[in-house]
Amino acid sequence: MSEAREIQAPRGRLGVLMPGMGAVATTFIAGVELIKKGLAEPIGSLTQLGTIRLGKRTEDRVPKIKDFVPLGSLEELVFGGWDAFPDDAYEAATVAGVLEKEHLDAVRDDLKTIEPFPAVFDPRYVAKLEATHVKDFSSLREATELVREDIRSFKARHGLDRAVMVSCASTESYLQPQEAHFSIEKFEEALDASDAAISPAMVYAYAAIMEDVPYANGAPSLAVDIPALTRLADERGVPVAGKDFKTGQTWMKTIVAPGLKARMLGLKGWYSTNILGNRDGEVLDDPESLKSKELSKLSVLDYILQPELYPELYGEVSHLVKINYYPPRGDAKEGWDNIDIFGWLGYPMQVKINFLARDSILAAPIVLDLTLFIDLAHRASMSGIQEWLSFYFKSPMVLPELYPEHDLFIQLMKLKNTLRAIKGEDLITHLGLDYYE
């Protein structure tokens, strides 16, 4: 049995600040408000519906996660954020078109009170948006100070001691790590010089860390995962996690690919294509933003299948990913996968998946879980990269010397064992030999 960590109680209300107050953020907010009123259930949320086994199977100890670890409650959550458009949360949710009118009208008054701060916006990073609600700043240093002031004023206005930041922002243009990203000294010099290597996503992440606000990145954009900011978060005792919410096609890959590998079935090719028509789809219509997303989606299979260990099974896989903006589909994205596999004696077979998903409906409970879990991590004095939250991301953050774990079931075991560890419970390995000896 491990030694339990000291965890501060979740006293008072918890602020949830979101860069990007579009479809995902407003679906999350409206959902929480509906659940609080008893008008909906938190379907898809591990923190609200999930259980955790403790001890041996014969002990019959299986509490809900929210009863096992001291999470904040939904009644304590207070919402805010930034957006490139001035719409309040009700207007933004109406434009997004995810939720039906009867659901939105039931929480209209709650949503109308949530107005975004002007965004830190740079058209070089999000080319497809015509932003109308942006901050005026003379340098990126000033931009970070404006975001920090927003955080402080939000906490003061609502009487908050605690807050977290979960980025629901649009995907930024692809950016490779540059000199400014490798040390905090170089990063801050770049802020002062308004170096183009510093993106808006990095501005928000830096501001959050400096304000002692845990940060999770739901977009594939380069942000807190640069060495300068992961090191800063660790030094300042701030938990961080990312990146890119695992909601649709990639989520399915992290379910199916481990099954193929477990049975030692070979893979010749995996062709994935999908259409979506929301703001995320519009942004991804730009080739550079699309590149950020495609790279995030493409990394999954290599890490799960480990072709260097199984060259005869996975050494020559053709893995293609296509994303197309199709406005009529709105938030209801659709993904098609054609999977060419082979089995005994090399005989070919196929698996085909047609997933008609709702992007924001799948993402909203992830935002809730990350909010509550990363706040728990902060109260448990867990700083820096929170690898145990990999379960929620397409491109999980890890230390440079480690490879990311993408297998959904290993990720879930890691998450639950982390909860057991911080509470001083035995870790569960599913060995089971002691029952029979």
Side-chain angles (χ1 to χ4, degrees), residues 42-356:
I43 307 299
S45 169
L46 190 64
T47 60
Q48 302 305 298
L49 299 180
T51 61
I52 183 166
R53 191 190 110 199
L54 306 176
K56 295 183 178 297
R57 280 179 275 169
T58 51
E59 294 178 33
D60 196 26
R61 289 196 295 148
V62 191
K64 282 197 169 184
I65 287 172
K66 67 179 182 179
D67 297 327
F68 174 60
V69 289
L71 299 176
S73 72
L74 271 59
E75 286 71 21
E76 297 170 354
L77 301 183
V78 182
F79 307 107
W82 299 262
D83 201 81
F85 300 94
D87 299 347
D88 63 45
Y90 178 81
E91 293 165 343
T94 301
V95 171
V98 178
L99 300 179
E100 296 177 0
K101 189 174 187 297
E102 64 178 285
H103 279 137
L104 288 180
D105 286 349
V107 292
R108 183 181 189 278
D109 292 344
D110 303 289
L111 299 182
K112 291 294 289 183
T113 64
I114 303 169
E115 298 181 345
F117 293 109
V120 176
F121 186 78
D122 185 338
R124 293 174 296 183
Y125 282 96
V126 185
K128 288 288 183 175
L129 292 187
E130 297 292 335
T132 61
H133 188 58
V134 300
K135 293 191 182 302
D136 183 20
F137 48 87
S138 58
S139 70
L140 288 176
R141 170 68 73 180
E142 184 183 357
T144 63
E145 293 304 320
L146 291 172
V147 174
R148 293 182 66 180
E149 177 53 35
D150 289 343
I151 295 171
R152 291 191 290 265
S153 68
F154 179 79
K155 291 174 70 176
R157 185 191 325 146
H158 296 286
L160 307 175
D161 292 326
R162 299 158 29 239
V164 302
M165 186 183 294
V166 181
S167 178
C168 302
S170 297
T171 301
E172 293 181 345
S173 297
Y174 178 68
L175 184 65
Q176 288 191 327
Q178 301 176 39
E179 184 182 7
H181 302 156
F182 286 94
S183 73
I184 192 58
E185 293 78 18
K186 291 293 185 183
F187 182 87
E188 293 189 329
E189 287 175 10
L191 281 179
D192 293 330
S194 294
D195 191 324
I198 307 301
S199 68
M202 295 175 196
V203 168
Y204 287 113
Y206 174 80
I209 294 167
M210 295 301 290
E211 290 299 317
D212 196 32
V213 171
Y215 174 92
N217 183 18
S221 313
L222 199 62
V224 77
D225 47 324
I226 62 173
L229 294 184
T230 55
R231 195 170 304 122
L232 180 68
D234 196 41
E235 290 173 356
R236 295 182 70 88
V238 179
V240 295
K243 62 183 182 177
D244 200 2
F245 296 144
K246 182 161 59 181
T247 54
Q249 200 166 55
T250 307
W251 171 54
M252 295 303 295
K253 286 182 179 176
T254 64
I255 294 171
V256 174
L260 297 175
K261 182 184 175 187
R263 282 295 314 274
M264 289 289 106
L265 294 173
L267 180 66
K268 284 291 187 183
W270 196 314
Y271 177 77
S272 301
T273 185
N274 52 90
I275 56 175
L276 69 164
N278 57 14
R279 189 193 296 180
D280 194 29
E282 183 179 7
V283 168
L284 293 175
D285 207 29
D286 171 62
E288 287 304 307
S289 294
L290 178 62
K291 185 175 181 181
S292 294
K293 176 66 80 171
E294 285 181 335
L295 288 173
S296 177
K297 292 167 78 74
L298 281 166
S299 64
V300 171
L301 289 185
D302 272 355
Y303 285 115
I304 291 177
L305 300 176
Q306 298 175 295
E308 70 281 2
L309 299 181
Y310 307 99
E312 66 273 48
L313 297 176
Y314 312 118
E316 297 182 2
V317 175
S318 178
H319 184 202
L320 301 175
V321 175
K322 302 294 181 184
I323 305 170
N324 294 287
Y325 176 47
Y326 181 59
R329 191 51 60 96
D331 198 68
K333 65 182 179 181
E334 184 166 3
W336 295 270
D337 290 87
N338 180 82
I339 310 164
D340 287 289
I341 66 175
F342 58 93
W344 187 248
L345 307 179
Y347 277 79
M349 296 174 279
Q350 286 190 335
V351 180
K352 295 184 186 293
I353 301 171
N354 181 201
F355 189 17
L356 286 78

Side-chain angles (χ1 to χ4, degrees), residues 401-419:
E401 62 269 25
L402 301 177
Y403 64 83
E405 182 56 70
H406 284 278
D407 183 319
L408 187 76
F409 306 102
I410 295 175
Q411 290 175 333
L412 182 59
M413 186 184 296
K414 183 190 293 286
L415 187 155
K416 289 189 174 184
N417 269 338
T418 300
L419 298 179

Side-chain angles (χ1 to χ4, degrees), residues 370-384:
L370 287 171
T371 292
L372 299 181
F373 277 145
I374 206 162
D375 172 60
L376 171 70
H378 202 203
R379 289 183 284 108
S381 301
M382 300 165 71
S383 63

